[in-house]
Amino acid sequence: MNMTAQKAQQRPPLARIARATLLAAAGGVIGNTLLWLMTSPLGRLQVGLVEVVVFSLLGGLAGGVLYALLSRLLPSPNRVFVALCIAVLILYAFGPIWAAQTPYREGAEPFNLLTVLVTEVMHLISGGFVIGVLTRLTGERDGS
């Protein structure tokens, strides 16, 4: 068997990536929902629970799509996937800070300090589930 055929056989099946994607998205949704529920009594959060659920779900699904694409393009996608996810998390860190200056959507108020802090942690929760679950449960074991 040639090297290309061996690499193709080592790639995680799309069904495994899909299961890991659903787990990562569910973890982000559950973690961020719990954080929202625990912190909302501390003050007014300027993001609703529905927004938290929707955007957590979308983040998890986007991570899964990215991982699926990279797994088809690269023989060992984990290193590139983690680097891209970290870059996205760094860029997303500016979102809540900017939303404290200018509303993130028409009709919204600028974020207060509590909302900035909570949404920053939410990004880390979703990113942690996406990175952790997709790199651990898809079958790649060579550490790259």
Side-chain angles (χ1 to χ4, degrees), residues 23-111:
L23 280 173
V29 167
I30 292 167
N32 289 336
T33 297
L34 290 174
L35 180 63
W36 189 92
L37 291 170
M38 290 185 316
T39 57
S40 60
L42 301 175
R44 185 167 175 271
L45 290 174
Q46 292 158 305
V47 291
L49 185 55
V50 171
E51 289 174 293
V52 169
V53 169
V54 168
F55 286 107
S56 299
L57 182 62
L58 289 175
L61 296 176
V65 168
L66 175 62
Y67 193 87
L69 289 171
L70 291 175
S71 73
R72 296 306 173 246
L73 297 172
L74 303 172
S76 297
N78 282 0
R79 184 172 292 137
V80 172
F81 178 72
V82 170
L84 288 172
C85 287
I86 290 170
V88 167
L89 283 171
I90 290 168
L91 289 174
Y92 269 46
F94 292 103
I97 296 166
W98 287 328
Q101 306 300 315
T102 304
Y104 71 103
R105 63 175 167 81
E106 190 174 322
E109 300 174 52
F111 281 8

Side-chain angles (χ1 to χ4, degrees), residues 11-22 68 71-72 134 137-138:
R11 291 189 174 133
L14 287 177
R16 185 177 299 153
I17 295 171
R19 282 191 301 274
T21 299
L22 292 177
S71 73
R72 296 306 173 246
L134 285 162
L137 297 185
T138 53

